[in-house]
């Protein structure tokens, strides 16, 4: 609701023509015009919120929308279409569709869409770009992350531990902008790790419908097995695992959370996207080392900096390859700010004024008045 409401509130100003001049001789302006048909390919982990990021502003901007949801969340697409139609959006203007990967690629290659927004894997993003090659179709791609947190020597330790560990474990770690690696200043490192372990040891893995449960299963056993593989490889290479296996860990989708120390960037758990309830914690000597490690990643979605010094955070933020810089918070999407990334996280930007600019194209008017 916050995202759709904000995009509706700023629509008039964000989509308003840029007036250059209107005098005796000329009227000059730049209008924002819709692409036509926008394809939204949405992910399963936050199936309503991620889809609405593009669906609502695309419709507001004058586009028709076709929504293709992930195979795990097909009913979400049907329910969204029903909701929009009941609110008065014509059925032809917003359609929920079911497509396999090859058909999707074929339609993109045939220039069926003016713009495509995709949230998903790096491999899926590459397939989209390959399908669009030579068509000049606009693409917006958010392809995951390996988001770092950095706890500086002057940080509020309690707030940093509570927020970063929640950011790592919330939704069983299945968040695009979840925290997947944490770097802590030497003076706070031991206390941070101890408090982090204390928090995670209180988690109750179990059925999400059980009110006692605080950590649910992964969305699919293959996702859980990837996390298990990363943890196992790290431990074999010398990492220390601090959390005991839960009795509810069935070796399938129900996966115990884990905190790892003695980790290095030679380990996949500190490089590859985990998308599960695991986080590696490393000690750093200074800001320079922290920035180097944060940038030592194929991804760039968000980074979370913990300090009492706003200028220090902004200076470091300028040096970090990322789409969003947080200070003293993480894992949050502010619809007034552009949601974007760099490197293998993808390209483009959603929400904010920039989201409207990506869902439209500029069209210039140079009108010479008759004398």
């Amino acid at each position: 609701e916050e995202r759709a409401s904000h995009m509706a509130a700023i629509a008039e100003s964000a989509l308003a023509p840029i007036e250059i001049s209107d005098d005796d001789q000329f009227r000059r302006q730049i209008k924002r015009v819709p692409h036509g048909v926008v394809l939204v390919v949405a992910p399963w982990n936050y199936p309503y919120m991620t889809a609405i990021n593009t669906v609502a502003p695309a419709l507001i901007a004058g586009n028709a929308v076709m929504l293709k949801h992930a195979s795990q969340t097909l009913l979400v697409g049907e329910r969204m279409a029903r909701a929009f139609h009941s609110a008065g959006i014509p059925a032809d203007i917003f359609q929920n569709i079911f497509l396999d990967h090859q058909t999707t690629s074929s339609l993109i290659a045939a220039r069926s869409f003016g713009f495509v927004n995709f949230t998903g894997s790096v491999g899926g993003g590459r397939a989209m770009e390959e399908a669009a090659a030579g068509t000049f179709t606009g693409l917006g791609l958010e392809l995951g992350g390996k988001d770092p947190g950095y706890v500086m020597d002057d940080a509020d330790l309690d707030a940093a531990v509570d927020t970063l560990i929640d950011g790592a474990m919330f939704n069983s770690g299945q968040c695009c902008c979840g925290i997947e690696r944490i770097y802590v200043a030497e003076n706070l490192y031991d206390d941070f790790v101890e408090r982090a372990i204390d928090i995670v040891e209180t988690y109750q893995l179990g059925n999400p419908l059980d009110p006692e449960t605080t950590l649910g299963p992964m969305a699919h056993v293959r996702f859980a097995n990837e996390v298990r593989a990363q943890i196992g490889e790290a431990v074999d290479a010398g990492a220390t695992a601090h959390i005991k296996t839960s009795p509810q860990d069935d070796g399938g989708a129900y996966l115990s959370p884990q905190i790892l120390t003695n980790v290095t960037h030679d380990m996949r758990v500190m490089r590859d996207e985990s998308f599960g309830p695991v986080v590696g914690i490393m000690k750093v000597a200074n800001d320079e080392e922290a920035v180097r490690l944060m940038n030592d990643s194929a991804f760039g979605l968000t980074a979370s900096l913990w300090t009492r010094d706003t200028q220090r955070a902004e200076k470091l933020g300028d040096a970090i390859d990322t789409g969003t810089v947080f200070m003293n918070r993480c894992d949050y999407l502010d619809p007034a700010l552009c949601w974007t990334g760099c490197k293998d996280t993808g390209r483009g930007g959603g929400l904010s004024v920039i989201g409207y600019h990506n869902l439209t194209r500029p069209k210039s008017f140079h009108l010479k008045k008759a004398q």
Side-chain angles (χ1 to χ4, degrees):
E1 180 184 355
E2 179 188 20
R3 303 175 188 190
S5 297
H6 177 79
M7 293 306 287
I10 68 169
E12 184 175 0
S13 59
L15 294 169
I18 301 172
E19 300 289 347
I20 307 302
S21 69
D22 188 6
D23 53 34
D24 292 343
Q25 289 187 302
F26 297 101
R27 184 176 184 192
R28 296 179 297 153
Q29 64 176 188
I30 305 167
K31 291 184 178 181
R32 306 296 317 184
V33 298
H35 289 298
V37 179
V38 172
L39 173 65
V40 180
V41 184
W44 51 263
N45 59 330
Y46 288 95
Y48 288 102
M49 290 195 296
T50 49
I52 206 70
N53 290 353
T54 307
V55 170
L59 290 170
I60 291 170
N63 297 284
V65 173
M66 302 188 81
L67 173 63
K68 174 194 177 303
H69 233 296
S71 59
Q72 295 97 326
T73 47
L74 294 176
L75 290 177
V76 171
E78 292 187 343
R79 289 168 179 166
M80 285 189 69
R82 192 182 313 141
F84 275 87
H85 298 159
S86 68
I89 299 296
D92 288 346
I93 299 300
F94 180 43
Q95 299 182 35
N96 178 58
I97 56 177
F98 303 95
L99 301 173
D100 61 23
H101 295 327
Q102 184 53 54
T103 304
T104 303
S105 293
S106 297
L107 288 170
I108 294 172
R111 289 187 174 178
S112 302
F113 312 107
F115 187 83
V116 177
N117 180 265
F118 172 74
T119 304
S121 68
V122 175
R126 289 197 180 104
M128 296 282 176
E129 287 204 323
E130 289 169 1
T135 69
F136 311 114
T137 300
L139 296 176
L141 305 172
E142 191 216 303
L143 311 177
K146 192 70 181 174
D147 292 6
Y150 172 34
V151 182
M152 302 182 207
D153 50 13
D154 66 339
D156 180 333
L157 181 60
D158 288 335
V161 175
D162 289 345
T163 307
L164 288 173
I165 294 303
D166 182 67
M169 302 295 171
F170 189 80
N171 202 36
S172 298
Q174 297 167 122
C175 302
C176 298
C177 57
I179 295 295
E180 296 212 357
R181 51 201 174 106
I182 300 174
Y183 307 99
V184 184
E186 292 174 326
N187 65 313
L188 298 179
Y189 176 82
D190 290 340
D191 284 343
F192 185 97
V193 172
E194 181 180 350
R195 297 186 197 193
I197 293 169
D198 288 344
I199 291 172
V200 175
E201 284 182 338
T202 68
Y203 290 170
Q204 296 294 317
L205 177 65
N207 187 332
L209 301 179
D210 184 340
E212 300 299 315
T213 293
T214 55
L215 190 74
M218 300 284 286
H220 196 285
V221 64
R222 67 183 172 90
F223 303 150
N225 285 339
E226 167 63 13
V227 179
R228 287 190 179 95
Q230 290 186 20
I231 294 170
E233 291 169 18
V235 171
D236 288 345
T240 301
H242 292 273
I243 308 300
K244 295 179 181 178
T245 301
S246 168
Q248 282 70 42
D249 189 327
D250 61 358
Y254 284 83
L255 170 66
S256 300
Q258 192 54 265
I259 290 175
L260 298 173
T261 58
N262 297 324
V263 287
T264 72
H265 278 218
D266 293 327
M267 301 171 182
R268 286 203 307 129
V269 76
M270 296 298 284
R271 295 196 324 272
D272 294 354
E273 186 170 33
S274 301
F275 220 63
V278 59
V279 65
I281 307 176
M282 291 180 66
K283 183 188 301 183
V284 293
N286 50 46
D287 290 351
E288 289 72 25
E289 182 182 15
V291 169
R292 178 178 60 79
L293 289 169
M294 284 189 280
N295 284 342
D296 184 27
S297 173
F299 297 99
L301 185 55
T302 79
S304 177
L305 306 179
W306 289 80
T307 176
R308 301 174 193 273
D309 186 338
T310 304
Q311 288 185 330
R312 182 181 180 187
E314 188 167 353
K315 179 181 178 181
L316 293 185
D318 285 337
I320 300 169
D321 299 327
T322 191
T324 295
V325 178
F326 292 112
M327 178 179 130
N328 298 335
R329 77 177 311 174
C330 68
D331 192 20
Y332 177 75
L333 197 156
D334 182 341
L337 298 175
C338 182
W339 191 245
T340 185
C342 59
K343 299 191 283 190
D344 280 359
T345 290
R347 60 188 173 92
L351 298 174
S352 75
V353 172
I354 292 172
Y356 274 121
H357 288 181
N358 285 329
L359 290 167
T360 56
R361 67 177 179 86
K363 186 173 185 178
S364 294
F365 285 75
H366 195 146
L367 310 179
K368 185 177 181 180
K369 298 179 181 179
Q371 299 300 311

